[in-house]
Amino acid sequence: MAKFPKSRLLKCLALLLLLSLFCYIYVKSSANSIPKRFTSLPEDLYKPVSPLSYKYLLNQPNLCQRRIPFLVLMIPVRLQDRESRAAIRKTWGQENLVPNVDIVRVFFIGQPKENDPKHQEDLQKESKTHLDIVQMDFLDTYHNLTIKTMMMMNWLDTHCPTAQYAMKIDADIFLNVPYLVDYLQNQAYKQDYITGSVITDGTPRRNKYSKWYLSEELYPEDKFPPYLSGAGYVFSVDLASKIVQASRFVVPIPLEDVYIGLCLHFLDVQPVFARTFLPYRNLFEIRHLEYERCTFAKRIIVTGFTPSQLIHTWSDFQRDGFSC
Ligand SMILES: *[C@@H]1O[C@H](CO)[C@@H](O)[C@H](O)[C@H]1NC(C)=O
């Protein structure tokens, strides 16, 4: 029998021990170190983010009645983004894109700063024609996107709870709907499921002039729990009501994607990174990639499209008979 030197064995063991210790410390020190508070927020903190604080100016309460949608696409836009809405309706947001798969499309809008009655009238007409607009009466600004996100979750829970999956997706995104549907259909349906591009090393910006500035008063911790890039993420619809419930305990911050991450952390729900290995691919691509049919065929989203780029890209993507 070949003899394995004892000293070597010991060294190996010591190394292994050290390694596991590091892993343990690392895991302990990451997400788990962010404390949770289990008393609900004082009214003045919760009220601004509570969907009950605002009222609907336009709604589609019956959109999901007498059907069980497979997927609800929830797209935050501003009133003036008419061109984006038109492009989405003609491309990835069109109905009956995937045979026998029921997909619902809803745009979520707040109230613009300059409230032009003419623009509001046009929106009303658009809403009557397309039946895909939900509007609430909070000020539609970048810093209020957290409010909009909670409004979407609340709408989903109230008006579309029988749907299986929902996706929050920005308007400037290319969405490969058939790939997404396949991806979801090829796995067992589970609750508490949320997937996209997971960011594990997020930290708050303390520079007052940053677009993403966060004061220590609002968020004293020096890192974020894992969260999904807000460009696009997909989740099982049961999470909508859980996130709305969680938000009663989580101090609202103006970073909507991090805020959802904080609610998930409160709920002990781990976001799942949608990626492939060999070759490595982030399926929710948060860089902008130059359009190339076969590159896009293997991704769920790609970011950074103007409405006309979207229409242009889509028409090529839909061309028959391509193989990659
Ligand atoms: C957010 O919306 C509320 C309600 O309309 C408004 O009072 C507040 O000024 C808005 N906040 C920002 C930062 O735009």
Side-chain angles (χ1 to χ4, degrees), residues 8 13 50 52 62 86 206 224 245 262 272:
R8 246 221 203 140
L13 272 175
S50 164
L52 301 178
N62 304 322
R206 302 300 191 194
F224 295 140
Q245 288 308 314
L262 288 166
V272 180

Side-chain angles (χ1 to χ4, degrees), residues 54 137-141 143-144 147:
Y54 307 101
D137 68 347
F138 61 85
L139 204 57
D140 207 340
T141 60
H143 276 93
N144 268 347
I147 300 179

Side-chain angles (χ1 to χ4, degrees), residues 48 54-55 57 108-112 135-141 144-145 147-149 151:
Y54 307 101
K55 57 176 196 293
L57 301 174
F108 289 88
I109 303 178
Q111 217 169 12
Q135 186 189 23
M136 285 194 109
D137 68 347
F138 61 85
L139 204 57
D140 207 340
T141 60
N144 268 347
L145 281 178
I147 300 179
K148 196 181 272 187
T149 305
M151 155 189 170

Side-chain angles (χ1 to χ4, degrees), residues 81-131:
D81 298 328
R82 174 184 283 268
E83 225 190 313
S84 299
R85 293 192 290 276
I88 289 166
R89 289 186 191 113
K90 276 189 224 152
T91 58
W92 50 259
Q94 62 188 283
E95 277 170 35
N96 313 317
L97 195 61
V98 184
N100 304 317
V101 176
D102 190 8
I103 299 178
V104 173
R105 165 196 74 229
V106 197
F107 295 103
F108 289 88
I109 303 178
Q111 217 169 12
K113 241 187 210 137
E114 279 87 41
N115 222 353
D116 185 334
K118 172 79 176 74
H119 292 163
Q120 184 63 30
E121 230 172 79
D122 289 345
L123 187 71
Q124 249 152 30
K125 276 186 208 145
E126 190 184 326
S127 163
K128 262 203 184 123
T129 311
H130 298 285
L131 306 174

Side-chain angles (χ1 to χ4, degrees), residues 184-196:
L184 294 173
Q185 283 181 336
N186 284 333
Q187 51 181 298
Y189 183 80
K190 28 187 186 310
Q191 295 210 324
D192 294 335
Y193 172 69
I194 183 160
T195 192

